[in-house]
Amino acid sequence: MQQQQRQKQIQAIATGKILELIPGTEWMELVEESLQPQFTIVISKLYLKVQEEEEAFPYIEKLAPTHPREAKSLAEEFLRVWTKNHNPNSEQQRTNMYMFAWGFNQRSRGIPLTRSKQVRNLEELSKWTKRINDLPIETIDEALITQAFTQVHSAAEVYQLEAIEKIYGTVDGLDPDTLASLIQTMRANLGKVWRLPATQKKAKTNRKQKDIEREVLQGYATAQIVLGKAIKKYPESWSVQLAKAALEHDANEFQQELKQTTEFSKRRKISLDGFKKAAELYAAQVESLEEAKQESTAYETWFYASLGAPDLGKISHESVSDPAQFKLIRKAIESLPGELAQSHLDKFANSLFVRLSSLNPGVKFRYLKAGFEIVGDHEQAREAKKVYDYYKDLVTEIKLETVIDGTDVVGHGEPFGLFVNIRHTKEIERESGGFAKYFQNQNQGGYYYYNYGRPLENYREKFEEATKTALEEHFEILSITFEKEDVHSRATKEYGWRITPYAYVLLKPKGAEVDKIPSLTLDMDFMDTSGYAIIPISSSALPLDASSETGDPRPLENLQITQTLDEREAKDGKLKLEVRATGVGLIPDLDKILDLNPQEFKVTSIENEGVAVSQFDKEGLKTAVNSERIWLVSMEAKAGLTKHPEKFSFGLPEQEEYEVTYQRFVDADLASVEPEILLEQEYGTPENSWIIPAIAAVCLLFLAVGAYKMLTQKKKAIALARYHIPENITPFTVLGVLKDIERNNGLSDAGKQELGSSITRLEQYYFEQPKGNEPDLNEIVHRWVSKST
């Protein structure tokens, strides 16, 4: 019975159930002494497998004296499990969706992660590191300690020297590779993780941008201290020298981000020389290295730095390359002794394609082009060569071209236009599905876009920003007008090639010294075997002549001019004329299209906001744009006139083919009129306006004398005839007859009212202020005499 129980317990141990059945190390008594080490290993692994690493460590300590190799392996696995269980950056602090707490403050989540928990983690790691180092085993892989240190450290906090030495002891006590790895990790975090606001937000640190910058600067200072100790202890270590060059490169980039300085290029050259030195140190040691440690890391990192960043993933389309480094890298590899040169070139060539998917799509073409300057037509790079050839085919079958609208004599006082066209083969248009997406801003609301495996992109906005950056130094950019996305390509004179009109840039030189239009760039993306790539296509620079104030006339067709006269401000003495011109091409200045010369008026001001491009022309067979221009002309009557202006003549077109429409306001409505019209209002003050009151006084005097004579001759006049037509018809004689009829004739009430209106009209026109057309005196006197006989 006892024997059966023993066998059952041994079976439980073998199947892993011992963790539940027997606590502590009491099971050892059940196992024969010769089998105890194997069972110790099994139990340790079981505890580690279920992530109960602290329960496993006593067994590792028991195993170490007799089986140091197995204990070393278990200690390293222990460190991996402990690191995983104590990584604060991977923890997800979740709150149940049904949980609610009054007064809960989101900010309270951030306190344990960044300070208290980090301190506890580092103290605990220090304790376990000491216990591991006390084991009678070989030194464990220090990279695991570095990994543990970096992972249990909050991603939002930079490393402090005290914390580093607490884990490692004195920094210079580490081997050079471990030191280099630690420095590279610090550098990588400083260059990316620590300076990202998103990282700080996720860790709930509530740091502002300035706080982040200050912390990163402190982090670089700490890294430099560690680096200084490493260089002093291991001056011939290529990995430490490589870390030094990378750290200096990143620190220089960060300082340039904070404040641009002329020292940037000089410091960048120093850091690149540091990569060269690391490669030289590696070459001096490579023959003594184990084959597993013979690697192309020094050359690859140097290559990445020459493209803009020591880390491949940080190279962007904005990164500045140094092409001079490519030949130096190739020369350094070829100088390696014996077959090592070929094997390292093999490794470098193979990495070109392997690392391609890690690249920013915007730099893949540049990366491969530079890489093949180093490896040439290498067999190990054949997959990368296929992709590179595909990119080159794209570049040769699709181009960006710019064409000045008109001649290249543009002057510097007026705007001119620049057509931007996508020039391509019909095959690339067919295979790529056309170019409609490049006319879109896909991230703007209101529309649904699908970009076929690529992230949505604001293509128009991206081109606008790139164009402004390229032109703003020497040109004033007035507008950029895009074609519609449903535009069709057009054939060219060159067989197999077509153009798709893309944009029209309205710009104006900033001075007479401007002599060319710089290259413009459009980023186009295409799918490849590593995902997708962004291929920048660029136009050639265009020469131009801006030396004179005015350039050659721009092409212009179908010009339509509408002139609208507005008398609604006549009470202020103002007469206004709106001139609206539309056409195919750019509308020039007003005096180039219209001869505006109103004889009795002077122009006091002309308001104009310049030419505006509305859209690409839809009617014509050639590429052109529609534009519009509006002028508001203010006028007032000239001084020295003897009477108020009565007529107005619209401006005449400078060329007969111009289509002109004439309009005037009638109340609030518009009415078509002739090129010359009668004014409805009065403008200005004539110089002889004093004569009218004098004439009126004389007239009144004559009327009084005439009335007296008429009274004395009344009986005689009635006897001969009631009324006679005067021999000399003047305002005075006619008024005399009418007033005589008014006094002596027995007219009806309506007749008296009508006669009074005629008398008032004559008095106002001839003796007060003339308005309207001149009265017909002959017709008036005959009509009233005939009515009164």
Side-chain angles (χ1 to χ4, degrees), residues 463-478 480 505-511 513-514 516-520:
F463 176 76
E464 282 183 297
E465 292 176 356
T467 299
K468 290 176 181 178
T469 301
L471 297 176
E472 62 186 359
E473 181 178 357
H474 298 294
F475 294 90
E476 180 183 353
I477 303 169
L478 304 177
I480 300 178
V505 185
L506 185 64
L507 63 166
K508 180 181 176 183
K510 290 185 176 181
E513 71 282 357
V514 179
K516 69 178 180 180
I517 300 172
S519 172
L520 303 184

Side-chain angles (χ1 to χ4, degrees), residues 208-221:
K208 306 302 180 186
Q209 185 61 36
K210 288 294 182 183
D211 299 327
I212 297 173
E213 292 172 359
R214 187 163 49 251
E215 287 290 312
V216 172
L217 286 172
Q218 180 60 43
Y220 275 117

Side-chain angles (χ1 to χ4, degrees), residues 67 194 264 280 319 353 371 467 491 521 638 683 691:
H67 293 73
W194 287 336
F264 172 77
E280 292 171 348
S319 301
F353 181 75
T467 299
T521 300
K638 293 180 178 178
Y683 299 89
I691 296 176

